[in-house]
Amino acid sequence: NAGVTQTPKFRILKIGQSMTLQCAQDMNHNYMYWYRQDPGMGLKLIYYSVGAGITDKGEVPNGYNVSRSTTEDFPLRLELAAPSQTSVYFCASRVAGKTVNTQYFGPGTRLTVL
Amino acid sequence: AQSVTQLGSHVSVSEGALVLLRCNYSSSVPPYLFWYVQYPNQGLQLLLKYTSAATLVKGINDFEAEFKKSETSFHLTKPSAHMSDAAEYFCAVSSQNAGNMLTFGGGTRLMVKP
């Protein structure tokens, strides 16, 4: 299994541009998550999904959109990039069910907005 | 609401010395607690997790953590630091509502001196 994969690894955007961060998992996990990590800070949840067609906001959803048309994929969309969205973005997935189930993380996408 | 506090954003130890990384949580329900490690330019990897089965939890690479309900703590320890342990460590608590999202502490960067 490849686990959780993310593309691209790095990206530089200009203010106002849009882009989609891709996330895919091959573990048949129902739950998927998007986090952002700012320097010196922990991870903050942007959006999550408990299954295909079901998404919900996390702690910091403003400026982002998501969709979940398949179990495997969970793309994150930035419509009008702003410097405040400069961050490292992590996707994660886990098996549904018990609260204790582990989240598995992708390698991250480092985004810079200039 | 749940929260996690990691005391000390940077910890420096000598190779072979004891590692102690502190984590305190706030939760209105019995918590499920996790320690993740992030090596430079990589995603997060699970070190260990508390599932209520035992208060002393052993993880990978000789790390362990002890859950102390009276102190609302889940500190991470390792008897003897290796150079390869240099990384950022995150404590997290899992919510028990829909999505079972993780709330992370701010992280502790561990530096190991030769």
Side-chain angles (χ1 to χ4, degrees):
Chain A
N1 288 349
V4 180
T5 57
Q6 293 182 239
T7 56
K9 284 193 171 73
F10 304 93
R11 184 74 184 267
I12 298 175
L13 281 183
K14 294 182 179 178
I15 294 172
Q17 286 185 319
S18 62
M19 78 164 293
T20 299
L21 282 66
Q22 301 291 346
C23 174
Q25 52 89 13
D26 61 0
M27 298 175 282
N28 202 31
H29 288 171
N30 292 94
Y31 288 18
M32 295 187 74
Y33 308 83
W34 274 107
Y35 294 89
R36 59 176 286 171
Q37 181 183 28
D38 299 321
M41 308 282 285
L43 280 70
K44 302 284 188 189
L45 182 67
I46 304 171
Y47 270 96
Y48 69 97
S49 169
V50 298
I54 307 169
T55 63
D56 207 347
K57 296 178 181 179
E59 191 179 356
V60 290
N62 291 346
Y64 306 95
N65 279 300
V66 294
S67 59
R68 183 99 181 269
S69 57
T70 67
T71 299
E72 293 78 21
D73 300 297
F74 190 40
L76 178 72
R77 179 88 177 155
L78 283 70
E79 290 294 348
L80 290 171
S84 60
Q85 293 178 306
T86 293
S87 190
V88 182
Y89 292 84
F90 289 100
C91 180
S93 73
R94 54 162 275 178
V95 174
K98 295 180 181 179
T99 304
V100 74
N101 289 344
T102 301
Q103 286 190 25
Y104 295 90
F105 285 79
T109 293
R110 187 175 296 273
L111 176 67
T112 302
V113 182
L114 300 173
Chain B
Q2 296 171 299
S3 66
V4 175
T5 303
Q6 291 183 240
L7 293 176
S9 59
H10 292 79
V11 169
S12 181
V13 301
S14 298
E15 193 173 18
L18 172 71
V19 175
L20 171 60
L21 304 182
R22 299 179 188 275
C23 172
N24 288 88
Y25 68 90
S26 171
S27 176
S28 58
V29 296
Y32 293 96
L33 295 156
F34 302 75
W35 273 101
Y36 281 86
V37 61
Q38 184 181 30
Y39 297 104
N41 299 314
Q42 294 187 26
L44 279 70
Q45 178 184 351
L46 181 71
L47 268 180
L48 50 82
K49 60 184 178 183
Y50 170 68
T51 65
S52 75
T55 57
L56 184 63
V57 182
K58 294 190 184 297
I60 61 172
N61 300 335
D62 295 329
F63 282 95
E64 62 182 35
E66 186 171 9
F67 173 71
K68 291 187 177 180
K69 184 178 178 180
S70 61
E71 298 178 8
T72 61
S73 69
F74 190 55
H75 301 331
L76 182 71
T77 60
K78 179 172 179 174
S80 176
H82 294 160
M83 297 296 292
S84 59
D85 293 327
E88 186 133 27
Y89 293 80
F90 293 96
C91 184
V93 61
S94 179
S95 73
Q96 296 192 35
N97 56 14
N100 300 134
M101 62 278 288
L102 291 174
T103 299
F104 285 86
T108 297
R109 183 168 297 279
L110 176 66
M111 294 166 284
V112 182
K113 299 176 291 187

